[in-house]
Amino acid sequence: MVASEVRALFAVASRPEVVSLAGGMPNVSALPMGELGEIVQRVVTEEGSTALQYGSAQGDPVLRERICEVMAEEGISAAADDVIVTVGSQQALDLVTRVFVDPGDVVLCEAPTYVTAVNTFAAFQADIRHVAMDDDGVLPEALEEHLTRLAAEGRRAKFFYTIPNFHNPAGVTLTAERRRRVLEVCRRHGLLVLEDNPYGLLRYGGEPVAPLRAEAPDQVIYLGSFSKTLSPGFRIGWALAPSAVRAKLVLAAESAMLSHSAFNQMVVRRYLATHPWRERIKDFNEMYRERRDAMLGALEAMMPAGSSWTRPEGGFFVWATLPEGLDAKAMLPRAVNARVAYVPGTGFYASDEGRRNMRLSFCYPTPEQIREGVRRLVGVIEGETALRDTFGGASAPATRGDDSPFPDLP
Amino acid sequence: MVASEVRALFAVASRPEVVSLAGGMPNVSALPMGELGEIVQRVVTEEGSTALQYGSAQGDPVLRERICEVMAEEGISAAADDVIVTVGSQQALDLVTRVFVDPGDVVLCEAPTYVTAVNTFAAFQADIRHVAMDDDGVLPEALEEHLTRLAAEGRRAKFFYTIPNFHNPAGVTLTAERRRRVLEVCRRHGLLVLEDNPYGLLRYGGEPVAPLRAEAPDQVIYLGSFSKTLSPGFRIGWALAPSAVRAKLVLAAESAMLSHSAFNQMVVRRYLATHPWRERIKDFNEMYRERRDAMLGALEAMMPAGSSWTRPEGGFFVWATLPEGLDAKAMLPRAVNARVAYVPGTGFYASDEGRRNMRLSFCYPTPEQIREGVRRLVGVIEGETALRDTFGGASAPATRGDDSPFPDLP
């Protein structure tokens, strides 16, 4: 698809009659708007002379203390001094890449992986290599193979980027046993881990698994975010890093933006201090669990033979695989025409993979919309399958190279 | 000075009894806090589902329209489509550098120049060259000389970074005649201009001069900011760029942070739509004019022979030159001991210049504090001069290399 086609498709997909299973936007309409309105007002009227002034490049010290309490919920023990506040965890990804990656350096990441991370690694001209996953997350032996092969070439990777919980887009969670093995492999090869955990607290089933950072503070740069547990509108994320790295990240942040908004940081810190945020996350989890169940139920009831999908215990995404011979990217215009949208799998690889895959988000639409969206999607898949059976190939293969037609808001 | 000394000095300089002529923080206590409190509240309660969601990488379209109206105040005619909203103009500087500069590329800037811009250029390993200025701003013939020399070396500069109005730190304004000549030189050499204009609307005397961008839309990337005319706390700046460049900046912004805060952008756009912001800037200008006059009056009355300083028609800064044989950086610990702080001139050069210079800010302290600060400063200078006269050299020369001991908040 060329850019003008992408724009046209996106314009159609944005219409209200289209059920979008594409975006990764949290359902912010569930936020306590009245209370938040009062919080933002009070930050201005009671603390305006600080909130409306420049802040520090590392971020508000009180917020950094609160962030440590948030991370403690998942078993991380950390000092506020090792936290740096960023413009969403996207900026943290950018700063880490800026500090570590020179053109041609190898970065390892899962297959598939978060598309905007790939874009950032690519912007710094990294050599991106994908490590295979299954339903239990990344395969430690595949990681080891990559590292052994690199060593044989006389090369080293700069870091291994992983989303261990409720993976975007794969929907899977790295098991506790695999986490130990991943850390062991990385330790043996002296490889830094970049752990991205925006969804960790959004668990709807199963047992929590401690972050990699909890087990190996010196081996891991950990990224967190309030975008899913509060709101992406404040753009507050963070990195927790070993102190030598953290100092470099602070310098990079100063160069990148001088300082983040003191106002936004004070809003989030006041919310955390005055609002029962743990209870609020429980409410969100009830809401998202219902949506996940709607999607899994609809897929189970309707998807044709030959297709498969992951069963996330949290987060926002299901990763589906179409019957053989189908191409999710080529199929997308027909899906949008049938008033349902998704992100084709090819967008989540730096390589030419993911043709049979699609990411289905259940975070934003209502359960009813989700069921209707899956119904429409299945209709399109069945049409494609019939074409495939008649002509031996349903769609002209999509050309790889340009990007996913939907901005992959996390 | 080593890092621990810098920290100790900074800790002392932050004490309330020290008059700081160092920082470039606007006087946000003059803001209409009650009204701003209401605005932020209403953005949440009336528009929360948009304001607390992800936004677009280029920025809020309505805010971009308003930004065009702000720029029109200074004579710029622009389309909202060519504006990109950034985390302060610092992020715009960073994105432009990221898009244009490869390691070793030449960047031209004034001598002295804004320290955090130099840091950003240096972060991308630019070869930074300073172009001489006088009281009328940069010297077009000096710019031409640089370009001719580079051409003779078979090299080209990537852009010329300039702060034409109320320069930080020099306090001078590029005259209209010089602007024409600078643009003519740049056009002839095919050189892009990066025009940084955070203070343009803060004029306390003299006649406005049109921005370079107003005269040459295709030659100039223009940077603006609400940090001085409203508040740095929202971190809203922007770049206005020819459309081919703008498209690249949007991609870089997406990689850097996904999107800026929709909430902050909607706050600023509501302020611009509902508040008499032009009147408010007039009030600010009254306040800052009084502070500037207090500083110039005190310098005139007290500074010893052999010293000189610039007379800004707007902005926040005076650039002072000490009597021969004195070293502003070496003198700083004694100044802080005498309860007055400033930024030594060496911080504003990538080269080893500025030893006799200091930047004096009049934006944040009251007129009375400014007069007292200058009184203390003059006492220190006189002590140094006496030492110089007795021993032939007042201070051990400061070693260049580490940074200015004060964070140069714009």
Side-chain angles (χ1 to χ4, degrees), chain A residues 26 52-54 90 94 98 228 231 233 235 255 257 259 261 264 410, chain B residues 26 52-54 90 94 98 228 231 233 235 255 257 259 261 264 410:
Chain A
L52 300 182
Q53 192 51 274
Y54 288 102
Q90 182 64 33
D94 183 77
R98 184 193 290 233
K228 281 78 184 179
S231 156
R235 307 305 294 121
S255 172
M257 60 163 180
S259 64
S261 167
N264 294 20
Chain B
L52 300 182
Q53 192 50 274
Y54 287 102
Q90 182 64 34
D94 182 76
R98 184 193 289 234
K228 281 79 185 181
S231 156
R235 308 304 295 122
S255 171
M257 61 164 178
S259 64
S261 166
N264 294 21

PDB file of all heavy atoms in Angstrom, chain A residues 26 52-54 90 94 98 228 231 233 235 255 257 259 261 264 410, chain B residues 26 52-54 90 94 98 228 231 233 235 255 257 259 261 264 410:
ATOM      1  N   PRO A  26      -6.217   2.849  26.157  1.00  0.00           N
ATOM      2  CA  PRO A  26      -6.982   2.451  27.344  1.00  0.00           C
ATOM      3  C   PRO A  26      -8.348   3.120  27.346  1.00  0.00           C
ATOM      4  O   PRO A  26      -8.561   4.137  26.686  1.00  0.00           O
ATOM      5  CB  PRO A  26      -6.124   2.961  28.502  1.00  0.00           C
ATOM      6  CG  PRO A  26      -5.297   4.060  27.927  1.00  0.00           C
ATOM      7  CD  PRO A  26      -5.071   3.699  26.486  1.00  0.00           C
ATOM      8  N   LEU A  52       4.113  25.145  37.804  1.00  0.00           N
ATOM      9  CA  LEU A  52       4.146  25.837  36.507  1.00  0.00           C
ATOM     10  C   LEU A  52       5.543  26.350  36.160  1.00  0.00           C
ATOM     11  O   LEU A  52       5.719  27.091  35.202  1.00  0.00           O
ATOM     12  CB  LEU A  52       3.115  26.970  36.492  1.00  0.00           C
ATOM     13  CG  LEU A  52       1.666  26.491  36.715  1.00  0.00           C
ATOM     14  CD1 LEU A  52       0.703  27.658  36.638  1.00  0.00           C
ATOM     15  CD2 LEU A  52       1.275  25.419  35.697  1.00  0.00           C
ATOM     16  N   GLN A  53       6.531  25.947  36.959  1.00  0.00           N
ATOM     17  CA  GLN A  53       7.916  26.345  36.713  1.00  0.00           C
ATOM     18  C   GLN A  53       8.671  25.180  36.059  1.00  0.00           C
ATOM     19  O   GLN A  53       8.125  24.075  35.947  1.00  0.00           O
ATOM     20  CB  GLN A  53       8.563  26.725  38.063  1.00  0.00           C
ATOM     21  CG  GLN A  53       9.887  27.430  38.003  1.00  0.00           C
ATOM     22  CD  GLN A  53       9.902  28.638  37.087  1.00  0.00           C
ATOM     23  OE1 GLN A  53      10.128  28.495  35.872  1.00  0.00           O
ATOM     24  NE2 GLN A  53       9.649  29.823  37.644  1.00  0.00           N
ATOM     25  N   TYR A  54       9.913  25.420  35.633  1.00  0.00           N
ATOM     26  CA  TYR A  54      10.768  24.335  35.178  1.00  0.00           C
ATOM     27  C   TYR A  54      11.000  23.343  36.312  1.00  0.00           C
ATOM     28  O   TYR A  54      11.067  23.736  37.480  1.00  0.00           O
ATOM     29  CB  TYR A  54      12.132  24.876  34.733  1.00  0.00           C
ATOM     30  CG  TYR A  54      12.096  25.628  33.429  1.00  0.00           C
ATOM     31  CD1 TYR A  54      12.109  27.014  33.396  1.00  0.00           C
ATOM     32  CD2 TYR A  54      12.043  24.942  32.225  1.00  0.00           C
ATOM     33  CE1 TYR A  54      12.074  27.709  32.199  1.00  0.00           C
ATOM     34  CE2 TYR A  54      12.011  25.630  31.010  1.00  0.00           C
ATOM     35  CZ  TYR A  54      12.028  27.012  31.010  1.00  0.00           C
ATOM     36  OH  TYR A  54      11.996  27.693  29.821  1.00  0.00           O
ATOM     37  N   GLN A  90       7.744   5.450  26.127  1.00  0.00           N
ATOM     38  CA  GLN A  90       8.343   5.620  24.800  1.00  0.00           C
ATOM     39  C   GLN A  90       9.616   6.459  24.877  1.00  0.00           C
ATOM     40  O   GLN A  90      10.624   6.144  24.266  1.00  0.00           O
ATOM     41  CB  GLN A  90       7.352   6.268  23.830  1.00  0.00           C
ATOM     42  CG  GLN A  90       7.897   6.436  22.410  1.00  0.00           C
ATOM     43  CD  GLN A  90       8.191   5.105  21.737  1.00  0.00           C
ATOM     44  OE1 GLN A  90       7.500   4.130  21.977  1.00  0.00           O
ATOM     45  NE2 GLN A  90       9.232   5.061  20.917  1.00  0.00           N
ATOM     46  N   ASP A  94      13.500   5.561  23.951  1.00  0.00           N
ATOM     47  CA  ASP A  94      14.322   6.416  23.095  1.00  0.00           C
ATOM     48  C   ASP A  94      15.639   6.773  23.785  1.00  0.00           C
ATOM     49  O   ASP A  94      16.707   6.703  23.172  1.00  0.00           O
ATOM     50  CB  ASP A  94      13.537   7.679  22.741  1.00  0.00           C
ATOM     51  CG  ASP A  94      14.300   8.583  21.799  1.00  0.00           C
ATOM     52  OD1 ASP A  94      14.350   8.265  20.603  1.00  0.00           O
ATOM     53  OD2 ASP A  94      14.868   9.593  22.263  1.00  0.00           O
ATOM     54  N   ARG A  98      19.352   5.780  22.628  1.00  0.00           N
ATOM     55  CA  ARG A  98      20.294   6.858  22.350  1.00  0.00           C
ATOM     56  C   ARG A  98      21.600   6.658  23.117  1.00  0.00           C
ATOM     57  O   ARG A  98      22.684   6.894  22.588  1.00  0.00           O
ATOM     58  CB  ARG A  98      19.617   8.165  22.792  1.00  0.00           C
ATOM     59  CG  ARG A  98      20.370   9.415  22.521  1.00  0.00           C
ATOM     60  CD  ARG A  98      19.742  10.575  23.278  1.00  0.00           C
ATOM     61  NE  ARG A  98      18.450  10.981  22.779  1.00  0.00           N
ATOM     62  CZ  ARG A  98      18.162  12.244  22.441  1.00  0.00           C
ATOM     63  NH1 ARG A  98      19.063  13.185  22.536  1.00  0.00           N
ATOM     64  NH2 ARG A  98      16.962  12.548  22.026  1.00  0.00           N
ATOM     65  N   LYS A 228      -1.491   3.167  31.190  1.00  0.00           N
ATOM     66  CA  LYS A 228      -2.562   2.178  31.204  1.00  0.00           C
ATOM     67  C   LYS A 228      -3.248   2.088  32.560  1.00  0.00           C
ATOM     68  O   LYS A 228      -4.403   1.684  32.644  1.00  0.00           O
ATOM     69  CB  LYS A 228      -2.023   0.799  30.811  1.00  0.00           C
ATOM     70  CG  LYS A 228      -1.842   0.616  29.313  1.00  0.00           C
ATOM     71  CD  LYS A 228      -0.592   1.282  28.806  1.00  0.00           C
ATOM     72  CE  LYS A 228      -0.459   1.194  27.298  1.00  0.00           C
ATOM     73  NZ  LYS A 228       0.754   1.870  26.837  1.00  0.00           N
ATOM     74  N   SER A 231      -3.663   7.273  32.974  1.00  0.00           N
ATOM     75  CA  SER A 231      -4.037   7.929  31.721  1.00  0.00           C
ATOM     76  C   SER A 231      -2.805   8.186  30.878  1.00  0.00           C
ATOM     77  O   SER A 231      -1.769   8.601  31.402  1.00  0.00           O
ATOM     78  CB  SER A 231      -4.711   9.271  32.028  1.00  0.00           C
ATOM     79  OG  SER A 231      -4.595  10.153  30.931  1.00  0.00           O
ATOM     80  N   GLY A 233      -2.752  10.573  28.885  1.00  0.00           N
ATOM     81  CA  GLY A 233      -2.808  12.010  28.617  1.00  0.00           C
ATOM     82  C   GLY A 233      -1.795  12.823  29.385  1.00  0.00           C
ATOM     83  O   GLY A 233      -1.489  13.945  28.992  1.00  0.00           O
ATOM     84  N   ARG A 235       1.285  11.635  29.961  1.00  0.00           N
ATOM     85  CA  ARG A 235       2.586  11.229  29.405  1.00  0.00           C
ATOM     86  C   ARG A 235       3.629  11.009  30.496  1.00  0.00           C
ATOM     87  O   ARG A 235       4.748  11.529  30.409  1.00  0.00           O
ATOM     88  CB  ARG A 235       3.118  12.238  28.368  1.00  0.00           C
ATOM     89  CG  ARG A 235       2.194  12.606  27.248  1.00  0.00           C
ATOM     90  CD  ARG A 235       1.642  11.459  26.417  1.00  0.00           C
ATOM     91  NE  ARG A 235       2.643  10.737  25.641  1.00  0.00           N
ATOM     92  CZ  ARG A 235       2.859   9.429  25.790  1.00  0.00           C
ATOM     93  NH1 ARG A 235       2.195   8.709  26.672  1.00  0.00           N
ATOM     94  NH2 ARG A 235       3.744   8.824  25.030  1.00  0.00           N
ATOM     95  N   SER A 255      19.140  16.839  27.472  1.00  0.00           N
ATOM     96  CA  SER A 255      19.389  17.222  26.087  1.00  0.00           C
ATOM     97  C   SER A 255      18.112  17.087  25.252  1.00  0.00           C
ATOM     98  O   SER A 255      17.859  17.889  24.357  1.00  0.00           O
ATOM     99  CB  SER A 255      20.509  16.339  25.533  1.00  0.00           C
ATOM    100  OG  SER A 255      20.669  16.531  24.160  1.00  0.00           O
ATOM    101  N   MET A 257      14.812  17.304  26.281  1.00  0.00           N
ATOM    102  CA  MET A 257      13.629  18.116  26.597  1.00  0.00           C
ATOM    103  C   MET A 257      13.820  19.054  27.774  1.00  0.00           C
ATOM    104  O   MET A 257      12.860  19.657  28.231  1.00  0.00           O
ATOM    105  CB  MET A 257      12.431  17.198  26.891  1.00  0.00           C
ATOM    106  CG  MET A 257      12.697  16.283  28.071  1.00  0.00           C
ATOM    107  SD  MET A 257      11.254  15.515  28.795  1.00  0.00           S
ATOM    108  CE  MET A 257      12.078  14.570  30.098  1.00  0.00           C
ATOM    109  N   SER A 259      13.398  19.323  30.773  1.00  0.00           N
ATOM    110  CA  SER A 259      12.736  18.616  31.871  1.00  0.00           C
ATOM    111  C   SER A 259      11.320  18.294  31.440  1.00  0.00           C
ATOM    112  O   SER A 259      10.771  18.943  30.563  1.00  0.00           O
ATOM    113  CB  SER A 259      12.704  19.482  33.132  1.00  0.00           C
ATOM    114  OG  SER A 259      11.926  20.649  32.909  1.00  0.00           O
ATOM    115  N   SER A 261       7.187  17.950  32.257  1.00  0.00           N
ATOM    116  CA  SER A 261       6.254  18.877  32.892  1.00  0.00           C
ATOM    117  C   SER A 261       6.173  18.646  34.402  1.00  0.00           C
ATOM    118  O   SER A 261       5.760  17.582  34.866  1.00  0.00           O
ATOM    119  CB  SER A 261       4.867  18.675  32.274  1.00  0.00           C
ATOM    120  OG  SER A 261       3.891  19.321  33.057  1.00  0.00           O
ATOM    121  N   ASN A 264       2.409  18.041  35.305  1.00  0.00           N
ATOM    122  CA  ASN A 264       1.891  16.688  35.121  1.00  0.00           C
ATOM    123  C   ASN A 264       2.404  15.744  36.205  1.00  0.00           C
ATOM    124  O   ASN A 264       1.679  14.873  36.682  1.00  0.00           O
ATOM    125  CB  ASN A 264       2.306  16.148  33.749  1.00  0.00           C
ATOM    126  CG  ASN A 264       1.670  16.914  32.613  1.00  0.00           C
ATOM    127  OD1 ASN A 264       1.227  18.045  32.806  1.00  0.00           O
ATOM    128  ND2 ASN A 264       1.628  16.338  31.439  1.00  0.00           N
ATOM    129  N   PRO A 410       0.136   2.268  21.650  1.00  0.00           N
ATOM    130  CA  PRO A 410       0.588   1.112  22.449  1.00  0.00           C
ATOM    131  C   PRO A 410      -0.473   0.143  22.858  1.00  0.00           C
ATOM    132  O   PRO A 410      -1.084   0.247  23.852  1.00  0.00           O
ATOM    133  CB  PRO A 410       1.222   1.771  23.658  1.00  0.00           C
ATOM    134  CG  PRO A 410       0.783   3.155  23.652  1.00  0.00           C
ATOM    135  CD  PRO A 410       0.512   3.497  22.239  1.00  0.00           C
TER     136      PRO A 410
ATOM    137  N   PRO B  26      11.125  32.097  34.312  1.00  0.00           N
ATOM    138  CA  PRO B  26      10.156  33.209  34.301  1.00  0.00           C
ATOM    139  C   PRO B  26       9.498  33.349  35.672  1.00  0.00           C
ATOM    140  O   PRO B  26       9.503  32.410  36.463  1.00  0.00           O
ATOM    141  CB  PRO B  26       9.133  32.759  33.255  1.00  0.00           C
ATOM    142  CG  PRO B  26       9.257  31.284  33.187  1.00  0.00           C
ATOM    143  CD  PRO B  26      10.684  30.966  33.493  1.00  0.00           C
ATOM    144  N   LEU B  52      -7.302  13.069  28.122  1.00  0.00           N
ATOM    145  CA  LEU B  52      -6.571  12.061  28.895  1.00  0.00           C
ATOM    146  C   LEU B  52      -6.225  10.835  28.063  1.00  0.00           C
ATOM    147  O   LEU B  52      -5.756   9.829  28.576  1.00  0.00           O
ATOM    148  CB  LEU B  52      -7.373  11.678  30.145  1.00  0.00           C
ATOM    149  CG  LEU B  52      -7.653  12.863  31.086  1.00  0.00           C
ATOM    150  CD1 LEU B  52      -8.400  12.401  32.325  1.00  0.00           C
ATOM    151  CD2 LEU B  52      -6.358  13.572  31.494  1.00  0.00           C
ATOM    152  N   GLN B  53      -6.434  10.938  26.757  1.00  0.00           N
ATOM    153  CA  GLN B  53      -6.120   9.848  25.830  1.00  0.00           C
ATOM    154  C   GLN B  53      -4.816  10.178  25.094  1.00  0.00           C
ATOM    155  O   GLN B  53      -4.291  11.283  25.207  1.00  0.00           O
ATOM    156  CB  GLN B  53      -7.280   9.687  24.840  1.00  0.00           C
ATOM    157  CG  GLN B  53      -7.271   8.432  23.997  1.00  0.00           C
ATOM    158  CD  GLN B  53      -7.091   7.144  24.773  1.00  0.00           C
ATOM    159  OE1 GLN B  53      -5.948   6.738  25.045  1.00  0.00           O
ATOM    160  NE2 GLN B  53      -8.202   6.492  25.150  1.00  0.00           N
ATOM    161  N   TYR B  54      -4.283   9.219  24.328  1.00  0.00           N
ATOM    162  CA  TYR B  54      -3.160   9.509  23.445  1.00  0.00           C
ATOM    163  C   TYR B  54      -3.554  10.565  22.419  1.00  0.00           C
ATOM    164  O   TYR B  54      -4.709  10.611  21.988  1.00  0.00           O
ATOM    165  CB  TYR B  54      -2.738   8.244  22.675  1.00  0.00           C
ATOM    166  CG  TYR B  54      -2.030   7.221  23.531  1.00  0.00           C
ATOM    167  CD1 TYR B  54      -2.690   6.095  23.993  1.00  0.00           C
ATOM    168  CD2 TYR B  54      -0.698   7.391  23.863  1.00  0.00           C
ATOM    169  CE1 TYR B  54      -2.033   5.155  24.779  1.00  0.00           C
ATOM    170  CE2 TYR B  54      -0.034   6.456  24.648  1.00  0.00           C
ATOM    171  CZ  TYR B  54      -0.705   5.339  25.108  1.00  0.00           C
ATOM    172  OH  TYR B  54      -0.066   4.414  25.885  1.00  0.00           O
ATOM    173  N   GLN B  90      13.128  23.022  23.560  1.00  0.00           N
ATOM    174  CA  GLN B  90      14.299  22.141  23.692  1.00  0.00           C
ATOM    175  C   GLN B  90      14.095  20.852  22.889  1.00  0.00           C
ATOM    176  O   GLN B  90      15.002  20.402  22.203  1.00  0.00           O
ATOM    177  CB  GLN B  90      14.549  21.794  25.162  1.00  0.00           C
ATOM    178  CG  GLN B  90      15.780  20.914  25.383  1.00  0.00           C
ATOM    179  CD  GLN B  90      17.071  21.599  24.981  1.00  0.00           C
ATOM    180  OE1 GLN B  90      17.206  22.814  25.127  1.00  0.00           O
ATOM    181  NE2 GLN B  90      18.020  20.842  24.438  1.00  0.00           N
ATOM    182  N   ASP B  94      16.234  19.314  19.745  1.00  0.00           N
ATOM    183  CA  ASP B  94      16.713  17.936  19.722  1.00  0.00           C
ATOM    184  C   ASP B  94      16.267  17.214  18.450  1.00  0.00           C
ATOM    185  O   ASP B  94      17.056  16.532  17.801  1.00  0.00           O
ATOM    186  CB  ASP B  94      16.189  17.198  20.962  1.00  0.00           C
ATOM    187  CG  ASP B  94      16.695  15.776  21.034  1.00  0.00           C
ATOM    188  OD1 ASP B  94      17.865  15.593  21.395  1.00  0.00           O
ATOM    189  OD2 ASP B  94      15.927  14.853  20.698  1.00  0.00           O
ATOM    190  N   ARG B  98      18.612  15.770  15.525  1.00  0.00           N
ATOM    191  CA  ARG B  98      18.515  14.346  15.229  1.00  0.00           C
ATOM    192  C   ARG B  98      18.286  14.094  13.733  1.00  0.00           C
ATOM    193  O   ARG B  98      18.864  13.201  13.137  1.00  0.00           O
ATOM    194  CB  ARG B  98      17.339  13.788  16.034  1.00  0.00           C
ATOM    195  CG  ARG B  98      17.108  12.326  15.958  1.00  0.00           C
ATOM    196  CD  ARG B  98      15.738  11.973  16.524  1.00  0.00           C
ATOM    197  NE  ARG B  98      15.641  12.124  17.958  1.00  0.00           N
ATOM    198  CZ  ARG B  98      15.233  11.140  18.775  1.00  0.00           C
ATOM    199  NH1 ARG B  98      14.905   9.981  18.289  1.00  0.00           N
ATOM    200  NH2 ARG B  98      15.129  11.358  20.059  1.00  0.00           N
ATOM    201  N   LYS B 228       7.877  31.174  28.279  1.00  0.00           N
ATOM    202  CA  LYS B 228       8.108  32.509  28.831  1.00  0.00           C
ATOM    203  C   LYS B 228       6.858  33.376  28.779  1.00  0.00           C
ATOM    204  O   LYS B 228       6.713  34.298  29.567  1.00  0.00           O
ATOM    205  CB  LYS B 228       9.252  33.206  28.093  1.00  0.00           C
ATOM    206  CG  LYS B 228      10.634  32.751  28.538  1.00  0.00           C
ATOM    207  CD  LYS B 228      11.009  31.428  27.917  1.00  0.00           C
ATOM    208  CE  LYS B 228      12.344  30.914  28.449  1.00  0.00           C
ATOM    209  NZ  LYS B 228      12.715  29.656  27.825  1.00  0.00           N
ATOM    210  N   SER B 231       3.831  29.591  30.676  1.00  0.00           N
ATOM    211  CA  SER B 231       4.454  28.836  31.762  1.00  0.00           C
ATOM    212  C   SER B 231       5.319  27.731  31.193  1.00  0.00           C
ATOM    213  O   SER B 231       4.928  27.065  30.235  1.00  0.00           O
ATOM    214  CB  SER B 231       3.371  28.203  32.640  1.00  0.00           C
ATOM    215  OG  SER B 231       3.874  27.069  33.318  1.00  0.00           O
ATOM    216  N   GLY B 233       5.798  25.130  32.819  1.00  0.00           N
ATOM    217  CA  GLY B 233       5.289  23.925  33.476  1.00  0.00           C
ATOM    218  C   GLY B 233       4.479  23.024  32.568  1.00  0.00           C
ATOM    219  O   GLY B 233       4.306  21.841  32.857  1.00  0.00           O
ATOM    220  N   ARG B 235       5.316  22.623  29.356  1.00  0.00           N
ATOM    221  CA  ARG B 235       6.297  22.110  28.374  1.00  0.00           C
ATOM    222  C   ARG B 235       5.724  22.124  26.961  1.00  0.00           C
ATOM    223  O   ARG B 235       5.804  21.119  26.250  1.00  0.00           O
ATOM    224  CB  ARG B 235       6.786  20.691  28.724  1.00  0.00           C
ATOM    225  CG  ARG B 235       7.314  20.486  30.122  1.00  0.00           C
ATOM    226  CD  ARG B 235       8.445  21.412  30.546  1.00  0.00           C
ATOM    227  NE  ARG B 235       9.683  21.229  29.797  1.00  0.00           N
ATOM    228  CZ  ARG B 235      10.267  22.206  29.113  1.00  0.00           C
ATOM    229  NH1 ARG B 235       9.758  23.423  29.034  1.00  0.00           N
ATOM    230  NH2 ARG B 235      11.400  21.972  28.507  1.00  0.00           N
ATOM    231  N   SER B 255       8.990   8.697  17.311  1.00  0.00           N
ATOM    232  CA  SER B 255      10.002   7.798  17.832  1.00  0.00           C
ATOM    233  C   SER B 255      10.467   8.255  19.220  1.00  0.00           C
ATOM    234  O   SER B 255      10.753   7.441  20.094  1.00  0.00           O
ATOM    235  CB  SER B 255      11.172   7.754  16.846  1.00  0.00           C
ATOM    236  OG  SER B 255      12.258   7.068  17.373  1.00  0.00           O
ATOM    237  N   MET B 257       8.728  10.095  21.587  1.00  0.00           N
ATOM    238  CA  MET B 257       7.780  10.138  22.716  1.00  0.00           C
ATOM    239  C   MET B 257       6.370   9.693  22.349  1.00  0.00           C
ATOM    240  O   MET B 257       5.461   9.855  23.148  1.00  0.00           O
ATOM    241  CB  MET B 257       7.712  11.565  23.285  1.00  0.00           C
ATOM    242  CG  MET B 257       7.224  12.558  22.243  1.00  0.00           C
ATOM    243  SD  MET B 257       6.678  14.148  22.866  1.00  0.00           S
ATOM    244  CE  MET B 257       6.284  14.933  21.272  1.00  0.00           C
ATOM    245  N   SER B 259       3.642  10.714  21.487  1.00  0.00           N
ATOM    246  CA  SER B 259       2.929  11.983  21.315  1.00  0.00           C
ATOM    247  C   SER B 259       3.112  12.798  22.583  1.00  0.00           C
ATOM    248  O   SER B 259       3.392  12.257  23.641  1.00  0.00           O
ATOM    249  CB  SER B 259       1.442  11.736  21.078  1.00  0.00           C
ATOM    250  OG  SER B 259       0.850  11.126  22.216  1.00  0.00           O
ATOM    251  N   SER B 261       1.633  15.412  25.549  1.00  0.00           N
ATOM    252  CA  SER B 261       0.428  15.357  26.368  1.00  0.00           C
ATOM    253  C   SER B 261      -0.743  16.085  25.700  1.00  0.00           C
ATOM    254  O   SER B 261      -0.701  17.299  25.480  1.00  0.00           O
ATOM    255  CB  SER B 261       0.718  16.007  27.724  1.00  0.00           C
ATOM    256  OG  SER B 261      -0.487  16.267  28.410  1.00  0.00           O
ATOM    257  N   ASN B 264      -2.079  18.759  28.246  1.00  0.00           N
ATOM    258  CA  ASN B 264      -1.368  20.038  28.298  1.00  0.00           C
ATOM    259  C   ASN B 264      -1.681  20.891  27.074  1.00  0.00           C
ATOM    260  O   ASN B 264      -1.825  22.110  27.174  1.00  0.00           O
ATOM    261  CB  ASN B 264       0.139  19.797  28.369  1.00  0.00           C
ATOM    262  CG  ASN B 264       0.554  19.126  29.660  1.00  0.00           C
ATOM    263  OD1 ASN B 264      -0.272  18.499  30.318  1.00  0.00           O
ATOM    264  ND2 ASN B 264       1.806  19.238  30.018  1.00  0.00           N
ATOM    265  N   PRO B 410      16.660  27.775  30.763  1.00  0.00           N
ATOM    266  CA  PRO B 410      16.738  28.647  29.579  1.00  0.00           C
ATOM    267  C   PRO B 410      17.100  30.069  29.872  1.00  0.00           C
ATOM    268  O   PRO B 410      16.314  30.926  29.810  1.00  0.00           O
ATOM    269  CB  PRO B 410      15.368  28.528  28.970  1.00  0.00           C
ATOM    270  CG  PRO B 410      14.516  27.897  29.974  1.00  0.00           C
ATOM    271  CD  PRO B 410      15.405  27.106  30.842  1.00  0.00           C
TER     272      PRO B 410
END
